Amino acid sequence: MPNAPVQLDKSMLERGYWLATHRLVLKKWTSIGLYILIAFSYLYFFVQFGVYMYNYNEWQAIMAQSVATPYTWADIQAANAPLDIEVTEPHLFARGDNRYDAVAQVHNPNEQWGVESFQYVFVFSDGSRTEPIAGYVIPNETKFLTKQGFISQTPLSRITDVELSEVRWKKISRLPVLSWMFTAPPEYLGSQVISDGGVQRQLPPRITWSVRNDSTLSIRTVVWQVALYTGSQLNSVINYQAENFLFFAERNFEIVLNSATGRVSSVTVNPLVNIFDPGYTYLP
């Protein structure tokens, strides 16, 4: 049985006619659209590629900065090197008979660096010099460098320099716990006249103090550095050495002065312990 014929209405005929007459125009605009789409695709690709390269170069720079060492070992060593010890306030005291006492203050400003050993020399106004004297300074310590009884046949007016040499630094992570309790503070006692069995006797001026070792360490050698002052001016420095100071022990000290020290108005006493000496402590 033959197929029934398809009936074409007027609208279908009009659309078919329009497509037939506008085929070339449609092809042209379709091609233009495709070219525009391809152009936008290339443009998008190049833009994204440019953004990628920019970010890549920036990332490379960041990585280079993060990998590059921002310091050198020389800078590290310089930043961690100890500060120089400071020598100030040199004093020269004439004691008579061509004898002089030389004194200068030394300070170590470092908290973890000590000077295990060094040599110091006093240089005087006439060019004469003392023999090298051994010393040490623990972290944050302030004390006096001294040379007592220096003999000079020519008058000396002042100290021109204090030369340091052979300075050996040592880093200290933790200082030993040393504690000294002055049970009787340092006191200057001037010359006195006493009666002893009906006979008057004159006592020379002296310095007394009492101290207790409040640490748990027995100290083999303690140098008590006694500074005498007339008003605010340093008068003299005396180093008094004590041996075998037992832990928790208490001792009384007395130093007899000679007339060369002159008038004394105040006294300070500072304990010095050489912790760099391996045998500075002992077992009782």
Side-chain angles (χ1 to χ4, degrees):
M1 181 176 185
N3 294 329
V6 178
Q7 299 293 326
L8 298 176
D9 59 12
K10 183 179 179 180
S11 62
M12 292 178 64
L13 290 172
E14 289 177 351
R15 284 196 297 271
Y17 176 78
W18 187 89
L19 290 174
T21 57
H22 291 79
R23 178 173 58 85
L24 296 178
V25 175
L26 291 175
K27 182 178 180 181
K28 175 183 176 181
W29 283 107
T30 301
S31 299
I32 292 174
L34 289 174
Y35 286 131
I36 292 174
L37 180 61
I38 293 172
F40 273 109
S41 299
Y42 275 105
L43 178 64
Y44 177 80
F45 169 77
F46 284 115
V47 169
Q48 292 299 318
F49 182 76
V51 172
Y52 168 79
M53 291 303 297
Y54 176 81
N55 292 334
Y56 177 78
N57 292 333
E58 187 179 32
W59 175 252
Q60 288 284 84
I62 294 173
M63 290 300 296
Q65 292 176 2
S66 64
V67 173
T69 305
Y71 48 78
T72 63
W73 285 115
D75 294 335
I76 295 176
Q77 292 175 348
N80 291 277
L83 300 173
D84 292 336
I85 56 177
E86 304 163 358
V87 179
T88 58
E89 302 182 18
H91 296 273
L92 183 64
F93 305 105
R95 300 307 186 194
D97 297 328
N98 297 326
R99 293 180 180 272
Y100 296 85
D101 290 348
V103 177
Q105 190 176 75
V106 62
H107 172 64
N108 181 5
N110 301 283
E111 295 185 358
Q112 290 188 319
W113 286 97
V115 180
E116 184 178 14
S117 64
F118 68 99
Q119 301 286 324
Y120 63 94
V121 173
F122 288 100
V123 182
F124 301 104
S125 53
D126 67 342
S128 59
R129 308 159 60 93
T130 64
E131 293 293 325
I133 306 168
Y136 70 91
V137 191
I138 67 175
N140 280 328
E141 184 176 48
T142 300
K143 63 181 181 181
F144 293 104
L145 306 177
T146 63
K147 172 59 181 177
Q148 279 137 352
F150 178 76
I151 299 176
S152 175
Q153 300 304 323
T154 59
L156 303 179
S157 60
R158 61 190 177 91
I159 299 171
T160 58
D161 195 12
V162 182
E163 297 179 352
L164 306 182
S165 62
E166 301 180 29
V167 179
R168 295 179 56 189
W169 292 97
K170 185 174 183 179
K171 194 166 187 178
I172 301 174
S173 58
R174 182 179 180 183
L175 288 170
V177 180
L178 301 178
S179 178
W180 306 97
M181 173 64 69
F182 285 89
T183 54
E187 182 179 11
Y188 170 75
L189 302 175
S191 179
Q192 296 175 316
V193 177
I194 63 172
S195 178
D196 185 8
V199 178
Q200 287 190 337
R201 187 161 58 92
Q202 184 174 9
L203 296 178
R206 61 197 185 279
I207 298 169
T208 63
W209 73 94
S210 299
V211 66
R212 183 175 67 242
N213 179 4
D214 267 0
S215 74
T216 58
L217 300 175
S218 295
I219 307 302
R220 191 174 301 280
T221 301
V222 184
V223 175
W224 298 95
Q225 194 162 78
V226 182
L228 313 180
Y229 292 87
T230 301
S232 60
Q233 297 297 316
L234 184 66
N235 180 309
S236 182
V237 175
I238 301 169
N239 294 319
Y240 186 85
Q241 184 167 305
E243 304 289 341
N244 299 330
F245 208 133
L246 190 66
F247 66 92
F248 297 139
E250 183 175 348
R251 288 190 186 179
N252 303 315
F253 295 97
E254 180 179 275
I255 298 177
V256 177
L257 305 177
N258 56 40
S259 58
T261 55
R263 185 175 65 87
V264 176
S265 57
S266 61
V267 180
T268 63
V269 177
N270 184 30
L272 307 177
V273 178
N274 186 2
I275 63 172
F276 301 110
D277 180 1
Y280 81 93
T281 63
Y282 70 97
L283 294 176

